[in-house]
Structure formats: structure tokens, C-alpha cells
Amino acid sequence: MTNTTTNVSRVADIVAKTLHAHGVRHAFGVPGGEVVTLIDGLEKAEISFNLARHETSAAIMAAGASAISGRPELLVTTVGPGLANAVNGIADALQERVPLIVVSGIVDRGTRARYTHQVIDHTQLLRPIVKASFEIEPESAASTIARALTIATTEPMGPVHLDLSPMVAALASPNSKIITTDSIWHVRLGYRSRRAALGQTNSCC
């Protein structure tokens, strides 16, 4: 692994820059208030955000983009029902062995106990259909993203879920280093080789 110092400041920017450093170029989803800062960071990192009409469609679009490009791609959902709507598409990514990264908004930790609706346990909801689930924290945002990508792209490949609260996303990051690794490109080549053996010869980007 190598560390590269950047000028980004918010946790959302660190998340986006780390995703970009690992080859992610496209995000799909339905925005909500909990993820607007993340989407802003994605755009600044030159990861295009593609609006879908429903989260299941967004998940399938993200998985399809990954299958075509040979790279991990990104699904973005808002809290609770937004993530629940994406379950069918995330399950499909697991069955198809697609390295999908799922980032969902989550209510800020200090106010979760006061919410009476739209708050569900994301980790428990997705436990049967993702390889791992983490919550992004300010001090370890880059390493958490890098770990998620490593898990997603390790055979058998599959989706990995990350929670990110709006307060954390907007915080000035205490660590400005982006963690990168060359292993993702070896995985990408293997992914392309496997798809070629199956007769899936589309290429992209």
C-alpha cells in the first residue's frame, strides 16, 4: 500500500478520493438529505452520479456498470427505506459475484435514539447479502474504504456495505492521506479474464 497526501478536507472528500483512487468512476442512486454531502464529494472527485428512479434499479445499474467496466462501482442510498428498497439489487450483485460498494446514509449517532421512523439496523438488514458492513468514522475513513474495496474484490467477489452519517461526511477530516493499493488492478485483470472465459466481452472506460 502507498499513501498519497491530498488537499481534500471533508470526510466525504476522503471517501470519494479513495474510491476514485481504487478505480471507481460511476455512482448510481436516489439522493436524500443524508447523502448530499457525499454526492458533492463524488462529483468533485470526478465520480459521476447517475440518478435512478428507484433504489433497486440503481443497484442493478451499478452492478451492471461494474460487470462492464471490470472495476468496482458504487451504489448510494439514503437512510432506512432507501437502503431497504435496494435489497433486491444488492442480492443480485452477491449472486453474480459483482464487487459492488454500497454507501448508505445513516442518522447521526447523537439523534438516532430520538427517531421514531425510517431508522432500521442496516447491518442486520443486509447481513445475508453482503460480505461485510462497516460504519465510516472520521479518523479511519480512507482505511475503511480501502478495506471494503479489498473485501469486495477478493474472490468470491461481492457487495460490501458502508454507513456514513451526514455529520461525519461534513466534518473536516483529521487525516488527509488517501490509501491506495495496486492489488485492485490485478483483481480487475482477473475479473476481465473470468468474464472473457464466460463470453462476456463488453468493455468500458
Side-chain angles (χ1 to χ4, degrees), residues 13-199:
D13 296 317
I14 294 293
V15 168
K17 289 286 188 179
T18 306
L19 289 166
H20 187 276
H22 286 77
V24 176
R25 296 293 182 270
H26 304 95
F28 301 83
V30 180
E34 290 79 11
V35 293
V36 291
T37 303
L38 172 63
I39 292 172
D40 179 63
L42 295 174
E43 294 287 352
K44 289 180 177 178
E46 299 183 352
I47 296 175
S48 64
F49 180 78
N50 301 275
L51 179 66
R53 292 189 176 184
H54 192 277
E55 288 86 356
T56 290
S57 299
I60 293 172
M61 291 161 69
S66 179
I68 291 171
S69 70
R71 296 189 294 250
E73 300 293 3
L74 178 65
L75 168 66
V76 178
T77 82
T78 192
V79 67
L83 180 62
N85 281 343
V87 162
N88 284 342
I90 297 169
D92 180 68
L94 179 71
Q95 293 176 329
E96 296 294 337
R97 299 292 187 256
V98 174
L100 178 66
I101 302 299
V102 181
V103 179
S104 60
I106 192 170
V107 175
D108 292 319
R109 186 174 285 113
T111 58
R112 287 175 200 172
R114 299 203 303 270
Y115 269 66
T116 59
H117 66 289
Q118 293 192 337
V119 176
I120 58 177
D121 188 329
H122 292 173
T123 300
Q124 289 297 327
L125 173 69
L126 298 180
R127 188 178 297 279
I129 57 171
V130 297
K131 295 182 70 178
S133 184
F134 307 103
E135 182 167 355
I136 298 170
E137 301 289 356
E139 298 80 6
S140 56
S143 59
T144 300
I145 297 297
R147 182 181 181 190
L149 284 155
T150 297
I151 294 171
T153 56
T154 298
E155 294 284 359
M157 292 187 285
V160 174
H161 166 249
L162 298 156
D163 270 330
L164 177 62
S165 75
M167 181 177 293
V168 168
L171 284 176
S173 175
N175 188 341
S176 62
K177 292 181 179 179
I178 304 303
I179 297 176
T180 62
T181 176
D182 292 335
S183 66
I184 191 73
W185 303 112
H186 296 298
V187 169
R188 179 183 177 186
L189 291 173
Y191 190 24
R192 286 186 178 276
S193 298
R194 188 183 68 178
R195 291 179 57 250
L198 294 173

